Amino acid sequence: MDKETKNDIIKCSRCALCADVCPVYKVKHTETALLRGKFLQLLGLIKGELKWSKRLKSSLDYCLACEKCKTQCPSEINAVEIFEKIRHENLTFLDKILYGKFFFKIKFFALSIFYRVKHPIKSMVLRKKKHVQKYHKKLVHFNGCLSRRINPDFALPFEFERAKFECCGIPYKAKGNLDEYKNAAAFNIRKINEINGLVVFNCATCLSAVRSYAFDDPETKNRLVFYTDIYKDFLNKYKISSKTQAVVTFHNPCHLKSAGIALFDIEYILNNIENVEYKRLDNPDECCGFGGDFFLRHPRTADKLSIKKAEDVIKTGANIVLTACPTCLWSLKYGLKKLGAHNIKAYDMAEYLYSLDFNAK
């Protein structure tokens, strides 16, 4: 374990302020679910009182990587990064294979098949092109691994290009396979540097991951935008309207906030759609519980968080709930279906916006 990681673990004062924001702790209410308990175990590892084991690995694995503890921590300790480093140091040869590129592709394919069986895709987007105008800058779409399988119909009311990028690297990084993550990041950095224009994202996790890359030119990050940034510009010249009246709410993905996209920017767009009434969730930033493949590893915890989120959606009286993350969308559909709220539809916000009518002001 490197010195910086050790110092961060020791720096934790065990104040438990993170208990107020940790979604896993809110369900489990156990010390090992809380960051304080995890760090006490890691202190034992540093002092030689504990050894790396399946039990310790499982304890660190009980984390949604939502980064909420980082924003709450007075010492600004990045627990997610610490866990990634420790997993990397204890990565076995078998782990490198299982958490490598080949097996992740198989995993994503299996997840997409499982999703389509559970939630058949009923696209709101017409297959024909619906470009309204040319944007003043070149737009190139970064299509995430899971996003292109769950939300295959991403489109914008502007001309844009699709480019072949590698996975953003988060699936590798989360499992501690930092070598594979660095390879993916290096490929994407080269590709982004070659693009003379904006790189548009429709997945919150992908945007957060790519914005954390070590670009040689820090200004490059300014060219990484979320599609809502484009729609904000679009509203200056065009109005967006719905043919039917709707009450809409929005679940804010954890990584959208860490990517630097404010909920206010999302709400600005939703509040400017004619025939649509926007209602904010009581807890729009509360984690939905799916967190990548967390729902596969810890289904009971994910189930409770997903249902709680669905209950919050129902309280708003909305008949449409939107989000901007493929696993969040999955969680919303799952929770609403489990509660029998068939009158409420969950959509990816990009797909929903593109299905509306655009008219010049």
Side-chain angles (χ1 to χ4, degrees):
M1 194 182 301
D2 63 77
K3 189 176 180 180
E4 183 183 355
T5 304
K6 287 180 181 179
N7 289 339
D8 277 343
I9 293 169
I10 294 167
K11 189 166 61 176
C12 174
S13 62
R14 266 72 74 188
C15 65
L17 284 174
C18 50
D20 293 334
V21 295
C22 178
V24 174
Y25 181 73
K26 288 178 182 180
V27 171
K28 298 293 289 181
H29 297 291
T30 60
E31 195 66 19
T32 51
L34 188 61
L35 193 57
R36 177 174 63 188
K38 290 178 170 62
F39 273 14
L40 282 170
Q41 293 175 82
L42 293 178
L43 276 173
L45 195 66
I46 292 170
K47 294 177 180 178
E49 297 170 352
L50 291 176
K51 291 184 178 180
W52 181 254
S53 62
K54 287 185 178 179
R55 193 169 183 177
L56 182 51
K57 182 182 179 181
S58 177
S59 178
L60 299 189
D61 186 60
Y62 230 112
C63 171
L64 277 157
C66 64
E67 298 185 339
K68 283 180 167 52
C69 55
K70 180 184 174 182
T71 58
Q72 187 81 345
C73 179
S75 303
E76 297 182 345
I77 298 171
N78 191 337
V80 174
E81 194 172 275
I82 289 171
F83 296 161
E84 290 166 354
K85 286 181 180 178
I86 292 170
R87 291 189 192 108
H88 177 67
E89 290 171 3
N90 293 279
L91 212 62
T92 64
F93 178 73
L94 181 60
D95 288 336
K96 288 182 179 180
I97 296 173
L98 293 176
Y99 304 144
K101 190 174 181 179
F102 177 73
F103 274 94
F104 267 123
K105 282 189 175 182
I106 294 175
K107 185 177 181 180
F108 279 126
F109 177 75
L111 278 173
S112 64
I113 296 298
F114 182 64
Y115 175 82
R116 293 189 186 198
V117 170
K118 290 286 185 180
H119 309 285
I121 296 174
K122 297 176 182 178
S123 177
M124 300 181 73
V125 178
L126 296 174
R127 294 291 177 179
K128 64 180 182 180
K129 290 184 179 180
K130 189 182 176 181
H131 297 312
V132 173
Q133 64 175 24
K134 287 187 176 181
Y135 197 61
H136 62 274
K137 291 184 180 180
K138 181 181 177 181
L139 301 177
V140 179
H141 180 217
F142 186 106
N143 207 0
C145 301
L146 195 56
S147 181
R148 64 173 168 261
R149 290 171 172 86
I150 291 180
N151 307 314
D153 292 317
F154 173 77
L156 283 168
F158 297 98
E159 292 183 1
F160 69 98
E161 297 177 10
R162 301 182 189 273
K164 187 173 178 57
F165 290 96
E166 281 288 337
C167 169
C168 68
I170 279 290
Y172 310 128
K173 194 168 183 273
K175 299 298 184 183
N177 193 344
L178 299 185
D179 295 331
E180 197 70 71
Y181 164 74
K182 289 174 183 175
N183 290 336
F187 179 91
N188 290 332
I189 287 171
R190 287 195 300 272
K191 194 76 177 178
I192 291 168
N193 288 337
E194 292 170 2
I195 295 170
N196 183 25
L198 302 179
V199 181
V200 184
F201 293 76
N202 67 307
C203 172
T205 303
C206 289
L207 177 60
S208 178
V210 177
R211 278 191 171 174
S212 69
Y213 288 173
F215 290 99
D216 292 332
D217 182 4
E219 293 298 315
T220 303
K221 293 183 181 181
N222 296 330
R223 295 196 290 110
L224 310 176
V225 300
F226 207 56
Y227 66 89
T228 50
D229 297 325
I230 310 299
Y231 272 102
K232 280 176 66 181
D233 280 352
F234 180 75
L235 283 168
N236 292 326
K237 294 182 179 180
Y238 285 78
K239 63 180 180 180
I240 307 176
S241 60
S242 173
K243 289 181 180 177
T244 57
Q245 288 189 337
V247 180
V248 172
T249 190
F250 180 79
H251 162 62
N252 200 24
C254 298
H255 287 127
L256 197 61
K257 188 174 183 179
S258 64
I261 306 299
L263 179 60
F264 175 81
D265 294 330
I266 305 294
E267 292 178 326
Y268 172 77
I269 296 168
L270 296 177
N271 280 319
N272 279 281
I273 303 174
E274 293 182 357
N275 243 0
V276 167
E277 180 187 358
Y278 167 71
K279 288 191 176 181
R280 179 187 277 197
L281 285 166
D282 284 342
N283 300 291
D285 298 322
E286 194 74 26
C287 185
C288 69
F290 267 41
D293 65 351
F294 183 89
F295 71 102
L296 294 175
R297 295 178 281 115
H298 307 289
R300 290 184 181 179
T301 301
D303 183 89
K304 289 179 180 179
L305 290 168
S306 180
I307 289 174
K308 176 64 174 66
K309 176 60 66 173
E311 288 172 344
D312 288 345
V313 170
I314 293 169
K315 285 177 187 176
T316 65
N319 60 328
I320 293 176
V321 57
L322 306 172
T323 191
C325 168
T327 49
C328 289
L329 179 61
W330 194 337
S331 176
L332 290 168
K333 287 186 176 182
Y334 169 83
L336 292 169
K337 190 174 182 179
K338 190 120 184 191
L339 293 177
H342 303 296
N343 60 315
I344 305 174
K345 303 300 180 185
Y347 296 113
D348 178 78
M349 184 174 162
E351 182 183 11
Y352 176 72
L353 290 177
Y354 190 75
S355 72
L356 302 177
D357 293 330
F358 312 132
N359 297 293
K361 286 184 177 178

